[in-house]
Amino acid sequence: MKNIFLSIMTLLIVVACQNNKERYTQNAPEIETYKKALKDYEMANWEALASHYADTAKVYLNATKKNPQSVAEMIEQDKSDFELFSNVTLVPEESEFEKVLTDKGHTWVNFWGLWQGRLKATNELFEIPVHLTARFENGKIVEEHGYWNNSSIAMALMKLPETAASETTEQAKE
């Protein structure tokens, strides 16, 4: 009887250990892929950036589930942003990554960081805290969400016509 009990306990321990997948880590292939994707964004390497995403990926950057972007639409928006900004970077010292395996078996990579960019029109430096999270399947991003507050940039852009008009007026007075 004692041997049967020990055999059953040993079997349960072995089975439990085999099903214990790592639920959280800061070192994973998906994290390395996401780091590459973010570096491609910083370098404006749009083709390489797209290669990290599945063809059917849905992107929600400051958007609800009702308003997804395709990867191509996201890249077009990024290109427009890069026309306004120079020296775009995600500050390495301010960057944190983690991989999480959810109860549903989905693999997500979370990123917290600090985005920096200089508005070309004024040379003003903007620093925006950002959170991104990407779901991976078969080594590719299939869903991405991003959250940040860009109101300071919006206010600066709204002031641009006033600044340009003021400069024109000042030049006319000279």
Side-chain angles (χ1 to χ4, degrees):
M1 186 67 159
K2 205 188 274 186
N3 288 339
I4 293 173
F5 177 74
L6 287 174
S7 296
I8 290 172
M9 291 304 293
T10 302
L11 180 63
L12 288 175
I13 290 171
V14 168
V15 169
C17 288
Q18 288 177 344
N19 290 333
N20 190 12
K21 288 186 177 180
E22 190 169 41
R23 302 277 314 250
Y24 168 87
T25 185
Q26 289 188 296
N27 297 299
E30 294 88 353
I31 290 174
E32 294 309 311
T33 298
Y34 209 38
K35 285 179 179 180
K36 289 175 187 172
L38 294 178
K39 184 52 76 179
D40 288 334
Y41 162 79
E42 287 178 286
M43 303 302 294
N45 190 347
W46 308 122
E47 190 174 314
L49 176 61
S51 74
H52 302 293
Y53 291 80
D55 293 340
T56 58
K58 301 266 189 261
V59 180
Y60 307 90
L61 303 178
N62 278 334
T64 64
K65 284 271 198 177
K66 293 183 271 184
N67 298 304
Q69 286 183 309
S70 68
V71 174
E73 290 169 326
M74 174 193 72
I75 288 173
E76 286 306 310
Q77 181 63 55
D78 289 343
K79 286 179 180 178
S80 295
D81 293 345
F82 272 65
E83 289 177 15
L84 296 172
F85 289 91
S86 63
N87 304 320
V88 171
T89 189
L90 295 164
V91 180
E93 303 80 36
E94 299 288 333
S95 297
E96 286 290 331
F97 293 86
E98 71 176 4
K99 176 186 137 186
V100 177
L101 180 62
T102 69
D103 290 345
K104 294 180 180 179
H106 294 154
T107 299
W108 288 86
V109 172
N110 295 308
F111 167 78
W112 294 269
L114 182 64
W115 178 94
Q116 287 182 338
R118 286 200 178 275
L119 187 60
K120 289 178 182 177
T122 63
N123 203 35
E124 182 179 358
L125 177 66
F126 287 88
E127 295 185 316
I128 310 289
V130 61
H131 172 65
L132 302 170
T133 186
R135 186 165 63 89
F136 280 77
E137 287 181 7
N138 302 317
K140 297 278 189 176
I141 300 166
V142 295
E143 182 178 353
E144 182 178 40
H145 298 261
Y147 307 99
W148 57 88
N149 179 349
N150 59 1
S151 59
S152 60
I153 293 172
M155 295 299 290
L157 292 174
M158 287 179 12
K159 290 179 183 177
L160 283 181
E162 293 174 21
T163 305
S166 309
E167 290 173 358
T168 304
T169 303
E170 290 300 315
Q171 290 173 350
K173 289 179 183 177
E174 294 174 358

